[in-house]
Structures are given as structure tokens and as C-alpha cells.
Amino acid sequence: MSAHFTRRSLIRGITAATAVATLATGLAACGGDSDAATTTSDSAGTVTVGRLSNGAAKETTLKVSEVKSISDQLPDAIKKSGKLVIGSGTLPSGSPPLGYVGSDQKTLTGSEVDLARLVAAVLGLEPEVKRFTWENLFVGIDSGKVNVGFSNITDTEERKRKYEFASYRKDDLAFETLKSSKFAFDGDYTTLAGKTVSVGAGTNQERILLEWQKKLQSEGKKLTIKYFQDNNSLYLALNSGKIEAYLGPSPNLSYHVTQTASTPNATRIAGQYSGAGASLQGLIAATAKKDSGLAKPLADAINHLIENGQYAKWLAAWNLSSDAVTESEVNPPGLPLDNS
């Protein structure tokens, strides 16, 4: 993977996490959204992260309280409601370690919703989590059904036409293949010539893969892209040789590698790539409707967590420490319009 980013380097590579498929069967509601169980036993001034994680995280209780200088910045309507409605685009099958149904078979857990709960605590708000399919998460934000999405959303210049961002995590993508495969990706798109690769529809990684496909076609070469409705189907295709690789968020794929290590269908990471391309470090960000007035207080809340150590402990609990950023930024440079 090319390491020459023009944006300042925020951290080193990602090491954690991925998609398992059967955790949330039956939760998909009509219209593509579902109210997630969010009841916790947190006492006042504390948030417990890593709960019900099925071994993906170390349960950790963190002290965090409202910071009035930050919560005072919130829009009046949200102050009056007393809650922060958080969108998670994890229907139908979940996406460990980012967002999935926990060991009680009903409560949404994961690193993303845990950070959202920490931010809500700094803002003095009660977190309310709603689950959606990926596409309907953005519909929820657009309609006002959701205040903010915490769901591995990449900051892109195209999305800034409709949304505002508060960055909180490095965005790397990865290729996952069978351990027995000889495929390797070093940042050169030409290595994909003749390959069949799967990617999630409507995702940032799909845009990047489609751009590479277009370049290869202009050179008389072929890259076949296949889509699947859920992770079960995707990994069945990988195991059977119908696809040679899957391009997805590095945390999810790395997690899946650890889960398959002792199985006949062991997989490996075959290469990583910045979610914003070769010359810009991609960033994951809390996403709110443009001009909602939420990006600044969200960023300030995240920076409070960074400065006071809860952020680092949250990442460590989910084995995502290498994904850290040094600060949360409001609308930082994102994936360019010519590739977003």
C-alpha cells in the first residue's frame, strides 16, 4: 500500500475487525429500519463499552459526564428533546466489530454505537439508536428521523453537499481473500485485471472499485464486480471460488480473518488502501444533515473524549487503537469529487 499521503498522517494502520453474517436475522423491519434495543445498566456519569460483544471487545466502564460548555452549543430542538437519535446502517446482518447484535440476541453493540453513547454522555443527552440498511440510514438523516449517523461513514466531498461531518477514526479499506489465494494488492489497481471482486453497494469502497474498473476497461482489461445481499452469501461465494476477493472496511475484514483462522475456509488480508485514495488519508466521521448545527458540538465532544483519555480506552476495548486520530475535525478534506 502506498504510504505517501499529502494530508498529515493521523496514525498507523488498522488492525481490527469485520463482518459476520447471521447475528441480526429477523431484525429488518418494513422500510429498512429497526429500533435497536439500547437499554443499559450504566450508572450516572459512566458509560460501559464492549458490553455483549461475543468476545470481540474487553468490557470497560468509563467515567464521562456532561460538559455544559459543549452541550450549550446544541440546537434548541435537540436540547428540548433530551436525546440524541443515532443511526446505525447495520441491517440486515450486522458488521462486527462496528455494529451488530450482541450476545443477548437483541441489543445492538459495537465500537460505533459505543462511541455514539460516549458522545451523547458529553452532550448530556440520552442515546437512542435506530438500525437501518446502509441506504436507508441516509434517508433517515435526510428526513430528520436520525440526528447523526455513527456507522463507519467516510467523509467525502460529494456527501458534504448534503451532510456535515465530525471526524473520529481513520478510514482504511482492505481486500480479503482465502488464505490459500496468491492474490496480493499493493496499491496498484492493475493487479485487479482479470479478477472477480465483491463490494458493498452504495459504499465508498464501491466508488473506488468502480473507478479502477473504468481505468482497466480503458486499457482493454476486465475487472468483474459482484454484489451480495448479505455476508453469508458473500463468504459462500468466496469459499467456493465464485469471487477472488472482497473489498471492505479494514476493521471488519480483519475481524473476520480472526474468526476463520481455525476453520477450513481460513482467510487473510491481501492488501490495504486508504478510503480516500492514494494521496489522502480517509477519515470516518459522525454524519449529520448539512446546516443542522451538530458538527461543531459533536467534534468538541469527541475532542473532549480524546483529551481526557476515554477515546483511547474506547479504541483499546475494541482492539482498534491503530485507528486513532489526534483530533476530531469539522468537515475535514474528504474523498475528492472526482473519485467520490
Side-chain angles (χ1 to χ4, degrees), residues 57-70:
K58 180 180 179 181
E59 187 171 315
T60 306
T61 298
L62 304 176
K63 292 183 179 180
V64 56
S65 300
E66 179 180 2
V67 178
K68 288 292 292 180
S69 61
I70 300 176

PDB file of all heavy atoms in Angstrom, residues 57-70:
ATOM      1  N   ALA A  57     -14.595  -7.597  22.197  1.00  0.00           N
ATOM      2  CA  ALA A  57     -14.065  -6.442  22.926  1.00  0.00           C
ATOM      3  C   ALA A  57     -13.898  -6.789  24.398  1.00  0.00           C
ATOM      4  O   ALA A  57     -14.469  -7.766  24.904  1.00  0.00           O
ATOM      5  CB  ALA A  57     -15.010  -5.248  22.783  1.00  0.00           C
ATOM      6  N   LYS A  58     -13.121  -5.975  25.090  1.00  0.00           N
ATOM      7  CA  LYS A  58     -12.968  -6.096  26.529  1.00  0.00           C
ATOM      8  C   LYS A  58     -13.905  -5.093  27.186  1.00  0.00           C
ATOM      9  O   LYS A  58     -13.762  -3.885  27.003  1.00  0.00           O
ATOM     10  CB  LYS A  58     -11.525  -5.797  26.943  1.00  0.00           C
ATOM     11  CG  LYS A  58     -11.276  -5.909  28.436  1.00  0.00           C
ATOM     12  CD  LYS A  58      -9.833  -5.597  28.777  1.00  0.00           C
ATOM     13  CE  LYS A  58      -9.599  -5.686  30.287  1.00  0.00           C
ATOM     14  NZ  LYS A  58      -8.187  -5.365  30.639  1.00  0.00           N
ATOM     15  N   GLU A  59     -14.877  -5.587  27.935  1.00  0.00           N
ATOM     16  CA  GLU A  59     -15.851  -4.697  28.573  1.00  0.00           C
ATOM     17  C   GLU A  59     -15.129  -3.734  29.514  1.00  0.00           C
ATOM     18  O   GLU A  59     -14.365  -4.145  30.388  1.00  0.00           O
ATOM     19  CB  GLU A  59     -16.890  -5.506  29.332  1.00  0.00           C
ATOM     20  CG  GLU A  59     -18.020  -4.673  29.889  1.00  0.00           C
ATOM     21  CD  GLU A  59     -19.145  -5.519  30.456  1.00  0.00           C
ATOM     22  OE1 GLU A  59     -19.550  -6.504  29.795  1.00  0.00           O
ATOM     23  OE2 GLU A  59     -19.612  -5.194  31.565  1.00  0.00           O
ATOM     24  N   THR A  60     -15.380  -2.437  29.311  1.00  0.00           N
ATOM     25  CA  THR A  60     -14.676  -1.395  30.057  1.00  0.00           C
ATOM     26  C   THR A  60     -15.652  -0.296  30.455  1.00  0.00           C
ATOM     27  O   THR A  60     -16.377   0.225  29.608  1.00  0.00           O
ATOM     28  CB  THR A  60     -13.553  -0.783  29.194  1.00  0.00           C
ATOM     29  OG1 THR A  60     -12.698  -1.819  28.708  1.00  0.00           O
ATOM     30  CG2 THR A  60     -12.737   0.219  29.984  1.00  0.00           C
ATOM     31  N   THR A  61     -15.660   0.060  31.732  1.00  0.00           N
ATOM     32  CA  THR A  61     -16.526   1.136  32.208  1.00  0.00           C
ATOM     33  C   THR A  61     -15.725   2.429  32.287  1.00  0.00           C
ATOM     34  O   THR A  61     -14.663   2.478  32.910  1.00  0.00           O
ATOM     35  CB  THR A  61     -17.125   0.801  33.583  1.00  0.00           C
ATOM     36  OG1 THR A  61     -17.935  -0.381  33.458  1.00  0.00           O
ATOM     37  CG2 THR A  61     -17.997   1.948  34.088  1.00  0.00           C
ATOM     38  N   LEU A  62     -16.238   3.465  31.627  1.00  0.00           N
ATOM     39  CA  LEU A  62     -15.548   4.746  31.537  1.00  0.00           C
ATOM     40  C   LEU A  62     -16.351   5.830  32.238  1.00  0.00           C
ATOM     41  O   LEU A  62     -17.578   5.872  32.138  1.00  0.00           O
ATOM     42  CB  LEU A  62     -15.351   5.130  30.061  1.00  0.00           C
ATOM     43  CG  LEU A  62     -14.600   4.105  29.193  1.00  0.00           C
ATOM     44  CD1 LEU A  62     -14.572   4.568  27.757  1.00  0.00           C
ATOM     45  CD2 LEU A  62     -13.191   3.872  29.714  1.00  0.00           C
ATOM     46  N   LYS A  63     -15.651   6.703  32.934  1.00  0.00           N
ATOM     47  CA  LYS A  63     -16.297   7.852  33.558  1.00  0.00           C
ATOM     48  C   LYS A  63     -16.441   8.962  32.527  1.00  0.00           C
ATOM     49  O   LYS A  63     -15.458   9.378  31.908  1.00  0.00           O
ATOM     50  CB  LYS A  63     -15.475   8.340  34.749  1.00  0.00           C
ATOM     51  CG  LYS A  63     -15.443   7.370  35.925  1.00  0.00           C
ATOM     52  CD  LYS A  63     -14.665   7.954  37.091  1.00  0.00           C
ATOM     53  CE  LYS A  63     -14.659   7.003  38.275  1.00  0.00           C
ATOM     54  NZ  LYS A  63     -13.903   7.576  39.426  1.00  0.00           N
ATOM     55  N   VAL A  64     -17.644   9.434  32.324  1.00  0.00           N
ATOM     56  CA  VAL A  64     -17.879  10.520  31.380  1.00  0.00           C
ATOM     57  C   VAL A  64     -19.164  11.237  31.765  1.00  0.00           C
ATOM     58  O   VAL A  64     -20.184  10.600  32.021  1.00  0.00           O
ATOM     59  CB  VAL A  64     -17.947  10.010  29.921  1.00  0.00           C
ATOM     60  CG1 VAL A  64     -19.004   8.937  29.754  1.00  0.00           C
ATOM     61  CG2 VAL A  64     -18.192  11.140  28.937  1.00  0.00           C
ATOM     62  N   SER A  65     -19.096  12.545  31.855  1.00  0.00           N
ATOM     63  CA  SER A  65     -20.239  13.345  32.271  1.00  0.00           C
ATOM     64  C   SER A  65     -20.478  14.489  31.290  1.00  0.00           C
ATOM     65  O   SER A  65     -19.611  14.803  30.454  1.00  0.00           O
ATOM     66  CB  SER A  65     -19.996  13.916  33.678  1.00  0.00           C
ATOM     67  OG  SER A  65     -19.804  12.888  34.625  1.00  0.00           O
ATOM     68  N   GLU A  66     -21.618  15.122  31.404  1.00  0.00           N
ATOM     69  CA  GLU A  66     -21.956  16.242  30.540  1.00  0.00           C
ATOM     70  C   GLU A  66     -20.957  17.387  30.722  1.00  0.00           C
ATOM     71  O   GLU A  66     -20.540  17.709  31.842  1.00  0.00           O
ATOM     72  CB  GLU A  66     -23.360  16.754  30.852  1.00  0.00           C
ATOM     73  CG  GLU A  66     -23.775  17.949  30.000  1.00  0.00           C
ATOM     74  CD  GLU A  66     -25.172  18.444  30.315  1.00  0.00           C
ATOM     75  OE1 GLU A  66     -25.817  17.885  31.230  1.00  0.00           O
ATOM     76  OE2 GLU A  66     -25.618  19.393  29.641  1.00  0.00           O
ATOM     77  N   VAL A  67     -20.596  18.005  29.603  1.00  0.00           N
ATOM     78  CA  VAL A  67     -19.760  19.206  29.611  1.00  0.00           C
ATOM     79  C   VAL A  67     -20.644  20.345  29.112  1.00  0.00           C
ATOM     80  O   VAL A  67     -20.963  20.427  27.925  1.00  0.00           O
ATOM     81  CB  VAL A  67     -18.518  19.037  28.717  1.00  0.00           C
ATOM     82  CG1 VAL A  67     -17.686  20.314  28.713  1.00  0.00           C
ATOM     83  CG2 VAL A  67     -17.683  17.854  29.188  1.00  0.00           C
ATOM     84  N   LYS A  68     -21.065  21.213  30.021  1.00  0.00           N
ATOM     85  CA  LYS A  68     -22.048  22.238  29.693  1.00  0.00           C
ATOM     86  C   LYS A  68     -21.595  23.183  28.582  1.00  0.00           C
ATOM     87  O   LYS A  68     -22.394  23.612  27.756  1.00  0.00           O
ATOM     88  CB  LYS A  68     -22.391  23.046  30.947  1.00  0.00           C
ATOM     89  CG  LYS A  68     -23.235  22.294  31.955  1.00  0.00           C
ATOM     90  CD  LYS A  68     -24.647  22.038  31.432  1.00  0.00           C
ATOM     91  CE  LYS A  68     -25.435  23.334  31.310  1.00  0.00           C
ATOM     92  NZ  LYS A  68     -26.809  23.104  30.794  1.00  0.00           N
ATOM     93  N   SER A  69     -20.296  23.496  28.545  1.00  0.00           N
ATOM     94  CA  SER A  69     -19.809  24.412  27.508  1.00  0.00           C
ATOM     95  C   SER A  69     -19.969  23.811  26.116  1.00  0.00           C
ATOM     96  O   SER A  69     -20.025  24.537  25.116  1.00  0.00           O
ATOM     97  CB  SER A  69     -18.343  24.760  27.753  1.00  0.00           C
ATOM     98  OG  SER A  69     -17.528  23.602  27.722  1.00  0.00           O
ATOM     99  N   ILE A  70     -20.048  22.481  26.049  1.00  0.00           N
ATOM    100  CA  ILE A  70     -20.256  21.812  24.764  1.00  0.00           C
ATOM    101  C   ILE A  70     -21.744  21.604  24.516  1.00  0.00           C
ATOM    102  O   ILE A  70     -22.251  21.903  23.424  1.00  0.00           O
ATOM    103  CB  ILE A  70     -19.502  20.468  24.725  1.00  0.00           C
ATOM    104  CG1 ILE A  70     -17.994  20.696  24.909  1.00  0.00           C
ATOM    105  CG2 ILE A  70     -19.775  19.747  23.410  1.00  0.00           C
ATOM    106  CD1 ILE A  70     -17.171  19.424  24.986  1.00  0.00           C
TER     107      ILE A  70
END
